[in-house]
Amino acid sequence: MWSPNDVVLISDPRVTAIPVRECGEPLADVRGRLRVDERMADEAGAYAHLRSGLLDRLEQAERLLPDGFHLVVVEGYRPIETQRRIFDGYRAELQRKFPQLSPDESYIAASRYVSPVEVAPHTAGAAVDLTLCDPDGVEYDMGTQVNDNPEQSYGACYMDAPNISADAHNHRKLLAAALEPSGLVNYPTEWWHWSYGDRYWAMSTGFPHALYGPV
């Protein structure tokens, strides 16, 4: 039986204890190489950048998708200040909704949806939020919208959530079938969040260290 409790969160010591050995790979612009949605766009265009090795792997994944399906990148690199604001805001929201949570509990609960800044893969350009669309750019049913949190979606944002349609389940499987062979790993609380070279990737694959630290 699927349970959210089966998930290793990014705040887990098994993740945070993994060392980083920065490889120095540059950020690269996704625009012009893959489809990019502007819903999370920022003035500096940070959202449309990823480490070059991760972008290469996404292009490989794009080629593995069946006819009629394309990747849509929603957000990549996120500056540290932005990451801290999002995490602190969501944690404060949880504390208002669930005042019985201790500070440690609210920190862990917030990490289901937003990474604490000290371990966040988006700040390293190592994570990408994405979805699938058809050749006309119409997004497929994935069960929730990108960035729906666990409270909004009643847990349907979890990759293996049972409370989604058969179509959405199949579309998530298609996404994984292209991204996993390309070397990416999913953060199981968010079907749209995939990464390569960060601490969560290292924990998931057994690699001894992360390749990318904060940019």
Side-chain angles (χ1 to χ4, degrees):
M1 178 70 72
W2 173 85
S3 168
N5 295 326
D6 296 337
V7 171
V8 177
L9 296 177
I10 202 163
S11 58
D12 191 291
R14 286 171 285 182
V15 181
T16 59
I18 292 172
V20 176
R21 295 184 185 173
E22 172 60 55
C23 68
E25 208 172 83
L27 291 171
D29 198 328
V30 181
R31 293 167 292 191
R33 295 176 63 176
L34 291 171
R35 294 171 185 242
V36 179
D37 181 272
E38 295 186 348
R39 75 191 77 171
M40 299 300 292
D42 59 291
E43 289 186 5
Y47 79 106
H49 287 75
L50 296 167
R51 293 291 187 128
S52 58
L54 172 53
L55 181 51
D56 290 344
R57 289 169 184 275
L58 288 178
E59 288 183 316
Q60 176 185 334
E62 171 81 6
R63 294 190 290 270
L64 294 177
L65 287 169
D67 290 344
F69 289 84
H70 299 280
L71 297 176
V72 184
V73 172
V74 175
E75 188 176 18
Y77 172 63
R78 190 182 291 158
I80 289 173
E81 296 78 12
T82 303
Q83 184 73 29
R84 182 177 289 110
R85 174 176 51 79
I86 295 171
F87 181 83
D88 290 348
Y90 181 56
R91 185 182 182 187
E93 178 185 331
L94 289 174
Q95 288 173 321
R96 286 192 298 271
K97 287 184 177 179
F98 308 102
Q100 73 275 18
L101 291 177
S102 71
D104 284 348
E105 288 170 336
S106 67
Y107 180 90
I108 293 168
S111 74
R112 297 169 307 155
Y113 176 64
V114 189
S115 298
V117 69
E118 57 269 20
V119 71
H122 278 288
T123 67
V128 59
D129 296 337
L130 43 65
T131 187
L132 293 172
C133 75
D134 68 15
D136 296 321
V138 178
E139 293 179 18
Y140 285 101
D141 175 17
M142 304 296 289
T144 77
Q145 296 298 308
V146 172
N147 290 331
D148 278 355
N149 67 41
E151 292 74 43
Q152 291 169 326
S153 67
Y154 298 96
C157 59
Y158 281 64
M159 183 65 168
D160 293 332
N163 55 330
I164 60 173
S165 70
D167 280 348
H169 178 70
N170 288 333
H171 294 153
R172 292 184 185 189
K173 286 178 66 177
L174 276 179
L175 189 64
L179 294 170
E180 287 175 353
S182 301
L184 280 73
V185 300
N186 172 243
Y187 189 45
T189 64
E190 301 173 340
W191 62 261
W192 59 84
H193 177 107
W194 293 78
S195 67
Y196 170 79
D198 64 308
R199 285 187 175 104
Y200 202 86
W201 165 85
M203 185 277 298
S204 300
T205 62
F207 205 75
H209 60 85
L211 306 176
Y212 307 135
V215 176

